[in-house]
Amino acid sequence: MPRPKGSKNKNFAPANIEQARGMARIRAVHAAPLWGMNSEDLRLRCLRKQVPEAVRDGRYWYVTPAGMDRMFEQMRGKQR
């Protein structure tokens, strides 16, 4: 996918979950809709340390695809 015009440092959202899985880290607000979550809910989960590998850089939370998958596995385990 070509980078949007403008600053070379701009972060852009992946178009689908397959593209997201190919990335090392994704901004939480961009990852939330791909995994079917509300971005505010994901931010709160990051604050509560419920998302493995979530890292805060400045004012943004970043998550990894593997961390998101593990979070859902942990959630499924608690429901059983």
Side-chain angles (χ1 to χ4, degrees):
M1 178 174 180
R3 191 172 279 284
K5 291 184 179 183
S7 173
K8 67 178 182 177
N9 295 326
K10 281 188 181 176
N11 191 351
F12 62 96
N16 54 40
I17 201 160
E18 288 81 24
Q19 190 179 38
R21 289 188 192 281
M23 300 173 75
R25 293 209 181 272
I26 310 162
R27 196 180 286 181
V29 296
H30 296 157
L34 295 175
W35 270 271
M37 298 180 70
N38 181 348
S39 61
E40 184 63 20
D41 183 41
L42 182 55
R43 184 188 70 82
L44 289 173
R45 287 179 184 268
C46 291
L47 275 170
R48 294 176 186 150
K49 308 223 186 277
Q50 295 174 342
V51 182
E53 302 178 27
V55 179
R56 188 169 186 169
D57 184 22
R59 59 187 255 197
Y60 299 111
W61 281 98
Y62 290 89
V63 296
T64 63
M68 291 294 290
D69 290 338
R70 280 203 313 255
M71 179 188 70
F72 282 108
E73 288 173 9
Q74 291 171 356
M75 288 170 51
R76 277 188 231 124
K78 289 181 182 178
Q79 290 177 351
R80 292 181 183 174

